[in-house]
Amino acid sequence: MIPTLLNLLEVAIWSGIAAVGFAILFNIPRKAIITVFLLALGAGFIKFVLLDFHINIILASLTAASFVGLVSMPLAHRIHLPPVVYSIPAVIPMIPGYFAYETVLSIMSFIFLEVDVPKRTALMQDIFSNGFTMLFILISLTIGVSLPLLLLRKNTVKKIKR
Amino acid sequence: MNTPKSLEEISDLLLQIASLLMISGANTNRVNTSISRFASVLNCEVFNLTSQKTIILTITDNNTKKSFTRVKNIPPHKIDFAIISRISNASWNAISGQWTFQEISEKIDSIKEQKKYSKYITLIAVSFSGAGFCNIFGGDYLNMLVAFFSTLVGLFVLQFAHKKQFNGYISVFLASFIASMLACTGIIYNIGTNPEATLATSILFLVPGVALINSFTDLLDKNVINGMVRFTHGVMTVLSMALGLFLAMLIFQIK
């Protein structure tokens, strides 16, 4: 139990670091960096714990992104920055980049390399499962991040009362 | 009340704000609400069509009901969240403080001049995120070191290609090719326990995350055309990434 938890925590910390790297690439204000790190750490921890319980990656991403969305709302009032500035970098480590290029790689192998019929069928399965997993993770990340605004039917966080 | 300015100047200012927000990676809804906030401070109403390369904007003076239309082309996108947050803060301050045209214009000029993180800090930070991704995918610390260096070199190539004004997709292809070539040497010399994780994560720094998230945000807001444009841009980028990786894997005969 404890080693698993420590392992999950290590992965979560590294996803926090990954988010900070991207945050600096996107030139976020300096006072938001710690926030991004903590948000991404929390989101990563939630996601990997859920994955450890064999919950589907799409559902896990949705939960983690909703965590980011819900927490970023009170934070926006506190540090006076619009929520996108730290909620988008915080979910960047969860962007399904791997599924995205794996889809394209499968398509390329299907077209250029493979001639064997059973292997081509397996590649077709890869193309569909990876491609649609990517799409659904993206949709769930978007919904999770904008959840407070969608639920409260407001178009800016400023108008939501604390 | 505000000193009346000519509609031409006001529309130029609003177009400048909209284009700044658009190139910094704001979603379409944010662009539209921001410029209508600024317009309301200047006692105008604004109607606009925002797309990825052009903004068309008509402003109407609330008193005289005169209107003015102007079109602006948007320069290439360069994501910058500091600009988004500063413009957002400025728009709220402008409303609460009833800023004049002069004040808004000076504020926007000062926002444009803000400095960025230095190139080297960006390189190191993004390389750390490459290493972080490698850990997430189950690599050990040796794998992470290889991922760190492939990301470092890959991002350097990307920045160099941007500076030489290569086509965006070709720069991504080059960066992905070089980064995955370096990661492939990790597989050949069998560095670490899980060199495949390095190969899978060495090119993740190129994933167009903001474009892909914004595309679905735009689709949720029913800005369908902008959403589709951003999604297509994301898919094209992923395509060039995968092409670079595919070529490197073909050269090293991996898989």
Side-chain angles (χ1 to χ4, degrees):
Chain A
M1 181 65 197
I2 297 293
T4 331
L5 212 61
L6 279 179
N7 194 18
L8 288 174
L9 203 63
E10 189 199 349
V11 174
I13 288 174
W14 277 107
S15 58
I17 292 173
V20 170
F22 273 96
I24 288 175
L25 182 66
F26 300 152
N27 192 29
I28 67 164
R30 205 158 279 169
K31 61 178 173 177
I33 285 180
I34 302 282
T35 320
V36 167
F37 176 74
L38 292 177
L39 275 179
L41 194 154
F45 190 70
I46 292 174
K47 184 187 162 191
F48 293 115
V49 165
L50 289 178
L51 285 183
D52 203 50
F53 284 117
H54 301 288
I55 287 171
N56 186 298
I57 186 163
I58 297 165
L59 217 58
S61 304
L62 178 63
T63 321
S66 321
F67 162 79
V68 173
L70 289 175
V71 172
S72 63
M73 190 177 57
L75 278 176
H77 286 294
R78 179 165 298 185
I79 60 177
H80 297 295
L81 290 174
V84 281
V85 171
Y86 43 86
S87 60
I88 288 186
V91 297
I92 286 286
M94 295 191 278
I95 293 277
Y98 173 76
F99 291 105
Y101 70 70
E102 199 65 19
T103 310
V104 181
L105 278 187
S106 306
I107 294 174
M108 284 174 182
S109 320
F110 183 83
I111 296 170
F112 293 117
L113 298 180
E114 215 56 72
V115 280
D116 188 28
V117 172
K119 281 185 181 164
R120 280 170 75 96
T121 324
L123 278 178
M124 290 262 271
Q125 281 192 6
D126 283 352
I127 294 168
F128 268 87
S129 62
N130 287 332
F132 281 99
T133 312
M134 178 204 90
L135 273 185
F136 277 91
I137 292 179
L138 272 180
I139 295 172
S140 61
L141 289 184
T142 317
I143 291 178
V145 165
S146 44
L147 195 65
L149 298 182
L150 289 175
L151 286 181
L152 298 165
R153 291 185 291 157
K154 295 274 160 51
N155 56 11
T156 159
V157 172
K158 277 265 182 176
K159 297 216 175 97
I160 298 171
K161 292 273 184 300
R162 264 189 259 189
Chain B
M1 206 53 217
N2 295 326
T3 46
K5 274 276 170 182
S6 76
L7 287 176
E8 189 178 344
E9 281 171 301
I10 295 177
S11 66
D12 273 346
L13 179 66
L14 292 179
L15 277 173
Q16 203 185 4
I17 296 169
S19 117
L20 257 182
L21 281 172
M22 206 65 189
I23 62 173
S24 308
N27 60 40
T28 312
N29 196 23
R30 174 170 290 276
V31 176
N32 293 344
T33 47
S34 289
I35 58 173
S36 36
R37 259 180 233 154
F38 279 114
S40 74
V41 173
L42 298 169
N43 199 22
C44 290
E45 205 175 350
V46 61
F47 306 93
N48 61 314
L49 172 67
T50 315
S51 81
Q52 293 282 301
K53 294 209 119 180
T54 317
I55 297 176
I56 306 173
L57 172 141
T58 299
I59 57 170
T60 312
D61 193 308
N62 281 345
N63 297 333
T64 59
K65 298 293 172 202
K66 274 188 186 160
S67 66
F68 188 85
T69 301
R70 188 155 267 211
V71 186
K72 182 176 164 59
N73 286 344
I74 302 178
H77 290 210
K78 173 99 184 63
I79 296 166
D80 189 333
F81 280 15
I83 288 184
I84 296 180
S85 81
R86 291 204 180 98
I87 291 185
S88 166
N89 283 344
S91 73
W92 289 111
N93 293 340
I95 287 184
S96 60
Q98 282 297 316
W99 287 8
T100 59
F101 177 86
Q102 197 60 37
E103 281 173 305
I104 296 176
S105 158
E106 275 163 15
K107 184 74 188 168
I108 297 299
D109 283 340
S110 80
I111 285 172
K112 269 198 303 193
E113 299 301 319
Q114 294 286 344
K115 67 176 197 299
K116 297 178 189 304
Y117 292 102
S118 82
K119 194 179 154 187
Y120 302 100
I121 291 181
T122 316
L123 270 174
I124 300 289
V126 176
S127 310
F128 267 111
S129 49
F133 280 128
C134 186
N135 187 293
I136 294 171
F137 278 68
D140 65 5
Y141 282 87
L142 268 175
N143 295 140
M144 284 161 67
L145 194 70
V146 180
F148 184 90
F149 279 110
S150 2
T151 309
L152 190 76
V153 177
L155 187 63
F156 185 77
V157 170
L158 186 70
Q159 286 176 344
F160 180 77
H162 268 308
K163 210 163 147 193
K164 295 278 170 206
Q165 295 186 328
F166 277 41
N167 174 302
Y169 301 119
I170 289 182
S171 345
V172 170
F173 167 75
L174 285 176
S176 146
F177 177 63
I178 305 250
S180 42
M181 285 286 267
L182 282 172
C184 280
T185 53
I187 292 190
I188 285 174
Y189 292 109
N190 212 0
I191 302 170
T193 47
N194 193 359
E196 281 81 12
T198 315
L199 182 60
T201 55
S202 59
I203 58 168
L204 279 184
F205 69 99
L206 293 164
V207 172
V210 174
L212 288 174
I213 287 192
N214 272 343
S215 87
F216 281 98
T217 326
D218 277 358
L219 289 175
L220 272 179
D221 293 332
K222 295 184 194 140
N223 290 314
V224 178
I225 294 181
N226 269 341
M228 293 316 283
V229 171
R230 288 189 211 261
F231 187 72
T232 314
H233 166 70
V235 168
M236 284 290 287
T237 312
V238 170
L239 210 65
S240 24
M241 275 167 62
L243 205 64
L245 179 63
F246 187 73
L247 197 63
M249 283 165 71
L250 211 61
I251 288 173
F252 282 99
Q253 289 292 318
I254 289 164
K255 246 187 206 173

